[in-house]
Structure formats: C-alpha cells, structure tokens
Amino acid sequence: MAAELLEFGYLFVVLALTGTVALRLGLSVIPLYVVGGVVAGPYVAGRLGLPYVANAEVTTLLAEVGIVLLLFFLGLEFSLDRLRAARTNISRAGAIDLVVNLPLGVGIGLALGWSVVESFLLGGIVYISSSAIVTKTLIDLGWIADPESEPILGTLVFEDLAIAVYLAAVTSLVLGGDGGVAAIGRSLAIAFGFLGLLLVAVQFGTPLFTRLLDVGNQEAFVLRALAVVIVVSGAALALGVSEAVAAFFVGMGFSTSGHRESLERRLTAVRDVFAAIFFFWIGLGTDPTLLAAAAVPLVVAVVLTTPAKVFSGYLGGRVYDLSTTRSLRVGVGMVPRGEFSLVIAALAASGSTQVMREVIPAFAVGYVLVMSALGTLLMQRSDLVERLVFRGGPAGTDT
C-alpha cells in the first residue's frame, strides 16, 4: 500500500511541476500534462530505471471521472430548450463537420493501402474533436462567454451523438461482425433507448434535480451531484453508450435546476483535478518507440486534417452568422483531438490485422499528442492565426 501511495503522490508531483512550467511560460497546461505522462510513465522513466507511474486500473478510473466531469460541465452550458432552439444550426454545422472530416480520414487510409474497415477506423479518429480538451481550453481562455463558443459546443454535441452511432457500428465490424446487421441494430437500439430515457429525465425532471440539490451543507451538495453524474455515466458505459454523452445530458438536466452557478463554483476544483489526471493518463499509455511505425500516416493526417478541421469549423461559424474572424476561431477551436480518438484506437487494438493491432493505436496516440498540443496552441494564438489568414484585411471581428 505504501508503494502505491508513493506512486500516486509522484503522479501529483509531476502534475504540479508541469502546471508550474505552463504558468511561467504562458502555455496551456493540457499538452504539458500529456507530455508529463509520457515522461513519467513506464515507457520512458521505467525504461531508464527511474521511478515511474504505472498505467494502473485506478488511474484509468480516475481519468474516466475526469472525462465525465468535463462533459458534465459542458452540459451545464446548455438546456434542452436551448438545444432545441439551436437544433437547425447544430445539425447544419455538425453535418458540415462530419462530411468534411470523416471521409477525409477514410480517404487517407485507403490511399495508404488499408482495408475499408481500417480506413473507417482512421476516419473516426481524425473526425472526432476532443470535447474534454476543447471544453477545458474554452474555460481557461475565457472563450466560454464569447459568441464563438456556441457553434463550438453545438458541434461537439453533434459529434458526441454521432460517435455513439459510429462506435456501435464499428464495434461489430472490428470484432468480426458477430451477429452482423442484427448486432449493430441491437447496439443502436440500446444506445438510443438509454439516451431517450435521459432526454425524458432532462425534459421532465427539473423539479427532481432541484430538490436533490436543495441542501445547505456543501459536502452533501457536492456528493449528491457526483453521485448522480457518475452513476448515470457508469450505467451508460455498461450498456455500451458513451459515458461522456450521458454526463452531458445529466449536466443539461442540472442546468435548469437553479443550481448551475453553485455547481460550477463548488465543483470546478474537483473537475480540474480529475481532468489533469485524464490528460496525464493519455501520456501514460504512449510508447514513443511505436510512433515510428505510424510516422507516415501521422504526418499525412496532421498536414491534411488540421486545415480541414479549421475549414469545416469556419463554415460552421458562418452557419451561426458569426463574422469571418469569429468563424475562424470556431475552426481553430475544433482542432484538438483526444479521448474518443483513443477509445477508437483501443477498439482497433482488438482487431484481427496488424494495422489494427499495432499501427492504428500508435497512430492515434501520436495524433492525439500532436493535435492536442497544436490545437491548444492555435487557440491561444488565434490572433496570430487571424492575421496570417486575413493578412490585415477586413475581418469583421465583432459582428
């Protein structure tokens, strides 16, 4: 027990040091947390004979809580009424994002000589932005209150719902199509049935959500909120539904309860701690020596998918009638990739081909590492991106 406690303490030491470096350099902490996980993990520190943090089950569990809380906070920014009111814009912007980016990833895979299923896996990895990283960066940079946050968050919602369908389909394909169309149909029916129940709860459960948190004790308030979001997310995961999507719906339920500000104030520190563990956990699973096998698809994907994501996000911003400058910010804000790309890679690792088992997981880790760092950097330096793109021309910054 002492050894495990020391190892866990080492994890927080690394997080504290990387956070300090980020603050002093004025950088986003997210990519540095990932790098910290790589350096302090078994593939770097362990091979050098230094103390390292193992990619243990408890770390994975705490990382899952980080994803859940990040998406819960994303849901707090929405209400079902707001989602309904914006459904046309969300659908249009999300469709543009899907049509531009998923086929591009599939095309890259086919051009590399991969099979259709392997290419479809690659398409999903490069399509889905990181709700966790994007949401955290929006909050850190103060963009959450700006007009561009609405199309960014709306497109993330569309992606999270689309990926639930994608994962149900691709799971049957990768695992040999056991049950074929019937298996895919059952998976989709379970997923949408569960999400439908959550929607009903969000629609009619406001009084229940309100009464649940009507407690004066801060400890009881926090524990009740965590109990609901984590239990519902765990149930979703057990049924093969994205825990992130479930947490988002729970956040929407609480958003109209009258307790939103209290939830944000009391749970922000909890969210940030678990989120830091999540980003660190991404690095823990990264073996730098395997990246060489995926170097060619990695370079091709970064070069092609970065401008594609910016372009589709820009078009999404225009759907919301934002100015060219703010629309470009939307595109930049969609660049980071993260948790869902790694989920797809983990699924690929259970496949039957060498590309699935070795190349795609290595590619996904390298791609997430590059795109999380590049995406957060582009968001931080969006002013420079605007100057480079518009070259001093009229950009309509505030309309």
Side-chain angles (χ1 to χ4, degrees):
M1 181 63 69
E4 287 81 0
L5 187 60
L6 280 171
E7 182 180 307
F8 203 54
Y10 180 43
L11 180 153
F12 282 103
V13 168
V14 175
L15 289 176
L17 289 174
T18 53
T20 300
V21 171
L23 287 173
R24 290 188 176 179
L25 296 179
L27 300 174
S28 169
V29 295
I30 294 171
L32 290 185
Y33 284 154
V34 177
V35 172
V38 174
V39 173
Y43 298 113
V44 175
R47 286 172 178 168
L48 294 175
L50 301 173
Y52 67 92
V53 179
N55 195 2
E57 185 176 345
V58 65
T59 309
T60 302
L61 177 60
L62 295 177
E64 285 281 354
V65 175
I67 298 173
V68 165
L69 291 180
L70 282 166
L71 270 294
F72 173 71
F73 268 73
L74 177 59
L76 286 176
E77 299 299 324
F78 277 84
S79 66
L80 194 57
D81 290 339
R82 180 182 170 190
L83 199 61
R84 283 203 197 97
R87 65 183 181 276
T88 300
N89 285 342
I90 289 175
S91 298
R92 290 173 62 192
I96 292 169
D97 177 54
L98 176 65
V99 169
V100 170
N101 294 286
L102 181 62
L104 177 60
V106 174
I108 292 172
L110 293 174
L112 292 169
W114 293 4
S115 71
V116 173
V117 174
E118 293 162 352
S119 300
F120 192 48
L121 287 164
L122 183 63
I125 290 170
V126 304
Y127 158 61
I128 184 76
S129 299
S130 170
S131 298
I133 296 175
V134 173
T135 303
K136 180 69 165 62
T137 309
L138 285 175
I139 295 168
D140 289 348
L141 296 179
W143 287 20
I144 200 71
D146 293 339
E148 53 267 32
S149 69
E150 187 167 355
I152 291 174
L153 295 177
T155 305
L156 289 176
V157 170
F158 184 98
E159 286 189 350
D160 288 348
L161 294 174
I163 210 67
V165 178
Y166 170 92
L167 287 174
V170 82
T171 297
S172 292
L173 293 173
V174 170
L175 298 181
D178 186 21
V181 176
I184 296 175
R186 284 194 300 272
S187 298
L188 292 178
I190 292 171
F192 281 103
F194 186 83
L195 293 177
L197 288 175
L198 284 181
L199 278 173
V200 172
V202 170
Q203 173 68 35
F204 301 105
T206 296
L208 176 61
F209 286 119
T210 301
R211 287 197 302 271
L212 183 67
L213 295 184
D214 276 341
V215 57
N217 182 275
Q218 179 170 301
E219 179 181 342
F221 181 94
V222 171
L223 289 174
R224 290 184 183 189
L226 290 176
V228 174
V229 66
I230 293 177
V231 166
V232 172
S233 299
L237 196 59
L239 292 172
V241 182
S242 165
E243 75 278 25
V245 176
F248 172 82
F249 279 118
V250 174
M252 280 205 306
F254 278 116
S255 70
T256 56
S257 67
H259 295 291
R260 193 184 79 175
E261 291 184 1
S262 295
L263 284 164
E264 291 175 341
R265 184 177 67 253
R266 295 175 178 179
L267 287 178
T268 293
V270 179
R271 177 204 66 197
D272 289 345
V273 169
F274 284 104
I277 295 173
F278 164 70
F279 298 121
F280 185 88
W281 170 77
I282 293 176
L284 282 183
T286 302
D287 183 353
T289 61
L290 295 180
L291 297 180
V296 172
L298 178 59
V299 171
V300 172
V302 170
V303 170
L304 294 180
T305 63
T306 301
K309 200 68 167 178
V310 173
F311 175 67
S312 62
Y314 173 85
L315 294 179
R318 300 300 283 171
V319 164
Y320 281 76
D321 294 324
L322 297 186
S323 69
T324 53
T325 299
R326 291 198 181 278
S327 295
L328 181 62
R329 272 187 163 198
V330 175
V332 167
M334 296 301 299
V335 169
R337 312 301 207 278
E339 63 279 7
F340 280 120
S341 298
L342 296 174
V343 169
I344 296 168
L347 177 61
S350 61
S352 58
T353 70
Q354 183 180 8
V355 170
M356 289 186 193
R357 292 193 308 269
E358 298 179 8
V359 179
I360 290 180
F363 165 85
V365 168
Y367 186 71
V368 166
L369 191 58
V370 172
M371 298 304 282
S372 62
L374 178 62
T376 52
L377 179 62
L378 289 175
M379 291 177 74
Q380 283 185 305
R381 300 307 308 272
S382 61
D383 54 340
L384 177 59
V385 176
E386 292 159 15
R387 288 197 297 271
L388 290 173
V389 171
F390 297 116
R391 297 188 182 279
T397 55
D398 298 319
T399 59

